[in-house]
Amino acid sequence: MTGREQWASNAGFILATLGCAVGLGNIWRFSYLAGQNGGAAFLLLYLFWVVLICLPLLIAEFAIGRSTQREPTMAFEKLGGRHAWWLAGVPSVLGAFVILAYYPVIAGWALRFFLDYLGGGSEARAGVNPEARFGAFIASWSPLLWQAAIMSIGVAIVSGGIGRGIELANRVLMPLLALLLIGLAGYGLTLPGAGAGLAFVFLPDWSALSDPSVWLAALGQAFFSLSIATGALITYGSYLPRERALPGPALAVALGDTAFAIVAGVMIFPAVFSFGVDPAAGPTLAFVTMPKVFEQMPGGAVAGAAFFGLLVVAAVTSAISLLEVVVAFLVDRFGIGRARAALLASLAGFVVGIPAALGEGPLAWLRISGRSMLDVMDFLASNLILPLNAMLIALFVGWVWRATDAREASDLGPAMARWWRLSLRYLSPLLIGAVLLRSLGWL
Ligand code: PHE
């Protein structure tokens, strides 16, 4: 197809995909899950899933996107050879849309905390304790405002297009992200008692492996963190010229994303242990536990601003990829202009995200079996839509896409390509299926 936008360079594509993968998942989600699920043991399981399941899927999604040069529903339709196959792409767009609804809510919290610390941490100085501070904030209407702010940043970037919007933003933001992370991790290592935090991140407590829910949490985290099965990799791959090779970027993204998660652990846990706060605090780890650390730290307001700035930058480069999936769907399938599509998609995401933004405040009555709507959406996406869709993609590439075409599209050497396809044909669906059934309590 002529006229389709493309990445200006291979480096730009890798940076953008890395920006898509590295996000709240690496810092907020990874650290609280590792904190709850045995630290280093969780990290090992995560690595196990990345190599065994995620890398083959990463290449598969890139290959689907690059060989069709289309958004997910049209990509499946094209490869499947029948109109009805467009349905196979729907879970990808849906997955992105659900995450697009609640992700900016959490990113918005980070933006608000960032600005507060940037202004010198007036709230901390006023002596309000971190629990009360965070509690009062999410109980109010104001999360809506911050959610809208993040969405607006996303619309501004995505409206600029692939090269001058998304690629450019990542070229500026990703180096900044790396600098902030390394700076903070370096600072964390100088804190007294940092050793206990490092031991938590790197010395596995093997007993955690006997708990099946830890395996499951690690799989869901691997999907979420690498943006697998959310249409983002297919969509970003669709802006790749056909002659660009896939395995290199796939490996770079998997390694880079994992490295970010590990360094984030090195940033967070030494501080957590050094100031004696609980590493297993759960989802509030970043928003309550870390502020407690900053309060006790010399220069805490600066560290706080750097930490939440990091979170915001990481979240924005991911949020734009989620928005881009829905935008590409609207543009490719319905011929809507990019800027209008961005506005439409973000408005829809914003509205669906309102119950998540107000779920601890004005809409606190709206719960599903006791869970807040933010929890429900995250659960629905990470534990249901993503694994099911990952299975679907593996089965599609393993069984429906013609073997010779699929192997060729993967750019792998003959032996690796055989392995790759076998893993998608049998290993991935079986393992994901088992984990999924287990999580529903059926196995
Ligand atoms: N991978 C991102 C993160 O770790 C989240 C994300 C998921 C982004 C799916 C795009 C698609 O935060």
Side-chain angles (χ1 to χ4, degrees):
M1 178 176 155
T2 54
R4 187 181 178 76
E5 289 185 85
Q6 293 193 321
W7 303 108
S9 68
N10 221 18
F13 164 66
I14 294 176
L15 269 185
T17 314
L18 206 54
C20 153
V22 175
L24 295 171
N26 301 61
I27 306 163
W28 162 74
R29 210 169 185 279
F30 178 83
S31 61
Y32 93 70
L33 282 173
Q36 283 178 331
N37 293 298
F42 181 82
L43 177 62
L44 277 181
L45 282 181
Y46 168 87
L47 289 175
F48 173 77
W49 292 128
V50 167
V51 173
L52 210 64
I53 306 257
C54 294
L55 255 179
L57 273 166
L58 211 87
I59 295 179
E61 290 198 60
F62 279 164
I64 292 173
R66 191 193 55 175
S67 60
T68 57
Q69 307 273 301
R70 292 288 188 285
E71 59 77 36
T73 68
M74 292 171 89
F76 281 97
E77 183 176 340
K78 205 166 163 185
L79 292 178
R82 284 217 196 100
H83 176 61
W85 276 113
W86 74 274
L87 284 167
V90 170
S92 288
V93 180
L94 187 72
F97 182 72
V98 174
I99 304 179
L100 175 67
Y102 73 84
Y103 201 85
V105 173
I106 306 161
W109 300 349
L111 181 58
R112 186 240 181 226
F113 273 69
F114 166 65
L115 291 177
D116 183 55
Y117 277 107
L118 199 64
S122 56
E123 291 193 320
R125 277 185 278 113
V128 190
N129 76 52
E131 267 105 358
R133 225 150 75 203
F134 184 62
F137 167 59
I138 57 172
S140 71
W141 288 90
S142 55
L144 269 189
L145 198 83
W146 299 101
Q147 177 200 5
I150 294 284
M151 277 294 196
S152 313
I153 297 174
V155 172
I157 296 174
V158 169
S159 298
I162 298 305
R164 278 177 309 131
I166 297 179
E167 185 167 344
L168 186 64
N170 278 292
R171 272 180 182 276
V172 175
L173 294 177
M174 289 307 284
L176 180 66
L177 191 66
L179 272 180
L180 280 172
L181 186 67
I182 292 170
L184 275 170
Y187 181 56
L189 289 178
T190 66
L191 295 172
L198 286 185
F200 185 72
V201 181
F202 292 113
L203 296 180
D205 163 15
W206 297 109
S207 67
L209 295 188
S210 61
D211 180 354
S213 71
V214 176
W215 289 73
L216 216 119
L219 180 67
Q221 173 60 17
F223 284 153
F224 186 90
S225 188
L226 287 173
S227 311
I228 303 262
T230 57
L233 303 171
I234 297 182
T235 305
Y236 273 18
S238 79
Y239 299 116
L240 200 59
R242 288 210 171 80
E243 65 278 5
R244 295 270 166 74
L246 298 181
L251 206 62
V253 171
L255 283 176
D257 185 69
T258 305
F260 260 95
I262 293 174
V263 181
V266 170
M267 161 181 82
I268 290 174
F269 290 109
V272 164
F273 279 84
S274 167
F275 292 101
V277 287
D278 180 16
T284 56
L285 183 71
F287 297 96
V288 175
T289 311
M290 291 307 284
K292 280 187 192 161
V293 169
F294 299 136
E295 231 144 82
Q296 302 176 46
M297 217 179 228
V302 177
F307 176 75
F308 286 106
L310 172 81
L311 221 51
V312 171
V313 171
V316 164
T317 55
S318 297
I320 55 180
S321 70
L322 292 161
L323 184 56
E324 178 59 28
V325 174
V326 186
V327 167
F329 169 71
L330 295 174
V331 169
D332 285 358
R333 190 161 268 282
F334 303 105
I336 301 176
R338 171 168 282 277
R340 278 186 64 190
L343 214 57
L344 216 70
S346 62
L347 263 178
F350 178 76
V351 170
V352 175
I354 290 176
L358 301 181
E360 301 294 339
L363 295 182
W365 50 271
L366 191 64
R367 284 179 181 262
I368 298 183
S369 47
R371 286 165 176 265
S372 74
M373 292 312 286
L374 182 70
D375 263 11
V376 170
M377 287 186 200
D378 187 43
F379 182 87
L380 194 73
S382 315
N383 295 6
L384 221 63
I385 302 178
L386 266 50
L388 275 178
N389 190 32
M391 247 170 116
L392 178 73
I393 294 171
L395 289 171
F396 181 90
V397 175
W399 297 89
V400 180
W401 198 356
R402 248 190 40 202
T404 43
D405 294 350
R407 278 198 219 117
E408 200 192 314
S410 75
D411 291 338
L412 292 163
M416 283 300 276
R418 272 182 63 88
W419 242 109
W420 171 70
R421 198 158 170 281
L422 278 178
S423 131
L424 293 169
R425 223 173 144 98
Y426 303 106
L427 190 67
S428 308
L430 282 174
L431 278 176
I432 299 169
V435 169
L436 204 63
L437 288 177
R438 181 89 225 197
S439 80
L440 295 170
W442 292 349
L443 200 77

